[in-house]
């Protein structure tokens, strides 16, 4: 099976789907790999490293004509889909819950598309879980961005010039990104509180040394381990409770999400205005509309002296390690779909069937 990796074309995307180390492992497992020249350059991987790892280098995107599979980070544009031969296997973040048109285009073109978002989050598929690997990077980077902007030191310091109190940080949403944000903020010395509507996470929050903030709002966990959406009454209750508590914090990192739905609106602008000037909010949900009313997706703004960071695609800002982790997720999926380098799709397998969003011969 020949796998091709092209330069990413989505604006601001610096990651690459396969890194040289994984190329060499795939070669050892019976795969052929073609890399478009420069595909890894923005993530810190050179063409020479790919060549040494056993990849064939192609001068441009025509490389896909001889490929059985295309591995990408972001989904292809409409024009790119038209250039893909029917029957090609595609792997990437394809946004299957919200980009119905994009998925329909892939189906029309006869592409066998596997969405990284649709890989079941089971123990067996853990090595392929790109949502988790990228959320880990995003959670870390959110804290680093906050630390850069906040006008305070994170750790408590006792100096000859007096004692400095530590930053008080609040993490809202304690999924994968939130837990990494808690751990990172703790490592920097902040005093951390966290909140999630899934009561099951309280223990995980506390085991990282953070306090669980009880806002009196709880929901059931769905079978996939996700939160179910709040009712409008619960949402109003959560906003009111947060408005009360938020002035206590210097840094707020919000990561609350419901798959396939707009991000829940948790922090009204009135709550932002009650925070101390110089405080920072990092809204990791900016891509799906934001948890904070004041967030402008893709921008950093100031509101009543509070910095609100709505920067999107944080993993792309740490493209080397994000790509390294993503590449391992992709190669684990490739080896699952094509053991020994030969494509053998087993539609009774829950990972193969679950991740495929344009199953051949079906309207799914
Ligand atoms: P996510 O990105 O969909 O959501 C982030 C967090 O926001 C979740 O913890 C969610 O409960 C929370 N949230 C939603 N609405 C909220 C609100 N109104 N207020 C506060 N918080 C709110 O979630 P994720 O990080 O992708 O993880 C979801 C689940 O999947 C978790 O239970 C996680 O442990 C589980 N998971 C399992 C595996 C595995 O078994 N292999 C791997 C990764 C994640």
């Amino acid at each position: 099976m020949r796998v091709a990796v092209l330069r990413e074309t989505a604006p601001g995307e610096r990651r690459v789907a396969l890194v040289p180390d994984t190329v060499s492992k795939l070669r050892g497992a019976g795969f052929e790999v073609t890399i478009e020249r420069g595909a890894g350059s923005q993530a810190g991987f050179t063409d020479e490293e790919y060549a040494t790892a056993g990849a064939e280098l192609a001068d441009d995107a025509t490389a896909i004509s001889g490929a059985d599979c295309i591995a990408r980070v972001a989904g292809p544009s409409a024009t790119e889909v038209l250039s893909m031969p029917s029957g090609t296997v595609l792997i990437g973040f394809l946004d299957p819950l919200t980009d119905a048109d994009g998925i329909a285009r892939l189906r029309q073109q006869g592409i066998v598309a596997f969405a990284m978002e649709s890989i079941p989050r089971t123990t067996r598929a853990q090595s392929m879980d790109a949502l988790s690997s990228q959320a880990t990077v995003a959670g870390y980077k959110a804290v680093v961005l906050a630390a850069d902007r906040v006008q305070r030191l994170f750790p408590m310091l006792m100096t000859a010039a007096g004692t400095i109190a530590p930053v008080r940080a609040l993490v809202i949403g304690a999924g994968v990104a939130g837990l990494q944000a808690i751990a990172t903020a703790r490592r920097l010395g902040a005093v951390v509180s966290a909140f999630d509507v899934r009561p099951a996470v309280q223990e995980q929050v506390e085991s990282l040394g953070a306090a669980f903030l009880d806002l009196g709002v709880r929901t059931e966990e769905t079978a996939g381990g996700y939160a179910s959406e709040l009712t409008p009454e619960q949402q109003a209750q959560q906003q009111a409770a947060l408005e009360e508590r938020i002035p206590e914090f210097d840094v707020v990192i919000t990561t609350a999400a419901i798959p396939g739905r707009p991000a829940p609106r948790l922090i009204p602008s009135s709550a932002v205005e009650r925070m101390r000037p110089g405080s920072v909010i990092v809204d990791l949900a900016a891509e799906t509309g934001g948890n904070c009313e004041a967030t402008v997706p893709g921008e950093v703004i100031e509101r009543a002296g509070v910095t609100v960071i709505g920067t999107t695609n944080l993993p792309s800002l740490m493209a080397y390690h994000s790509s390294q982790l993503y590449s391992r997720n992709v190669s684990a999926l490739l080896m699952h779909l094509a053991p020994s380098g030969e494509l053998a799709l087993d539609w009774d397998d829950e990972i193969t069937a679950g991740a495929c969003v344009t199953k051949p011969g079906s309207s799914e």
Side-chain angles (χ1 to χ4, degrees):
M1 182 172 180
R2 178 170 289 276
V3 184
V5 173
L6 307 178
R7 298 167 81 116
E8 291 292 318
T9 48
E13 185 53 75
R14 303 174 66 87
R15 291 170 290 177
V16 60
L18 291 178
V19 303
D21 185 46
T22 324
V23 168
S24 136
K25 291 198 174 96
L26 284 169
R27 294 277 295 128
F31 289 81
E32 305 285 339
V33 181
T34 306
I35 305 278
E36 183 181 354
R37 281 186 198 281
S41 63
Q42 296 216 70
F45 302 100
T46 64
D47 291 344
E48 292 67 36
E49 288 174 290
Y50 282 109
T52 308
E56 230 171 70
L57 290 167
D59 288 330
D60 54 39
T62 50
I64 64 170
S65 58
D68 308 293
C69 170
I70 297 170
R72 321 180 44 114
V73 180
S77 67
T79 324
E80 285 168 323
V81 172
L82 290 176
S83 69
M84 289 163 58
S86 169
T88 305
V89 172
L90 171 69
I91 293 175
F93 281 117
L94 306 176
D95 204 4
L97 291 181
T98 46
D99 186 11
D101 290 347
I103 300 298
R105 270 196 297 273
L106 291 169
R107 187 174 296 112
Q108 257 159 27
Q109 188 72 8
I111 306 303
V112 186
F114 291 89
M116 294 308 277
E117 298 95 325
S118 300
I119 290 175
R121 294 181 100 174
T122 57
T123 310
R124 213 172 127 240
Q126 234 165 10
S127 59
M128 308 168 203
D129 185 354
L131 283 179
S132 289
S133 72
Q134 304 305 294
T136 299
V137 178
Y140 168 90
K141 184 69 175 178
V143 174
V144 174
L145 289 179
D148 184 44
R149 284 285 179 152
V150 75
Q151 295 177 21
R152 292 164 184 259
L153 296 167
F154 262 53
M156 182 176 94
L157 287 185
M158 286 161 145
T159 79
T163 299
I164 300 260
V167 149
R168 292 176 59 88
L170 171 64
V171 175
I172 305 174
V176 180
L179 292 173
Q180 185 56 232
I182 294 170
T184 307
R186 291 272 303 145
R187 276 186 217 114
L188 279 178
V191 173
V192 185
S193 300
F195 168 71
D196 197 295
V197 283
R198 290 181 297 125
V201 296
Q202 177 162 356
E203 207 178 303
Q204 293 170 48
V205 164
E206 288 170 351
S207 74
L208 289 170
F212 192 78
L213 196 70
D214 195 352
L215 298 180
V217 185
R218 296 180 167 212
T219 60
E220 296 303 315
E221 219 171 73
T222 64
Y226 293 105
S228 36
E229 208 165 5
L230 296 182
T231 62
E233 295 74 33
Q234 285 176 312
Q235 190 151 340
Q237 185 189 346
Q238 183 176 16
Q239 285 190 358
L242 271 173
E243 186 152 1
E244 272 312 299
R245 302 297 302 267
I246 237 166
E248 297 166 29
F249 299 97
D250 311 297
V251 165
V252 177
I253 314 264
T254 72
T255 76
I258 307 284
R261 305 282 308 140
R265 197 42 71 73
L266 310 179
I267 307 176
S269 292
S270 50
V272 178
E273 281 154 18
R274 293 185 62 185
M275 290 178 78
R276 279 189 288 268
S279 304
V280 177
I281 297 174
V282 183
D283 194 339
L284 273 187
E287 224 137 328
T288 52
N291 292 142
C292 172
E293 194 183 355
T295 297
V296 180
E299 289 186 26
V300 178
I301 59 141
E302 219 178 278
R303 180 79 177 245
V306 177
T307 303
V308 183
I309 301 180
T311 308
T312 49
N313 197 358
L314 296 193
S316 177
L317 300 179
M318 313 217 80
Y320 181 89
H321 272 146
S322 305
S323 301
Q324 195 174 71
L325 296 171
Y326 183 69
S327 174
R328 288 182 194 147
N329 299 141
V330 169
S331 94
L333 177 62
L334 279 168
M335 291 198 201
H336 182 78
L337 300 177
S340 330
E342 290 295 330
L343 194 64
L345 299 176
D346 171 6
W347 298 117
D348 291 329
D349 174 80
E350 63 157 359
I351 300 175
T352 306
C356 187
V357 289
T358 56
K359 227 175 184 175
S362 103
S363 57
E364 273 175 54

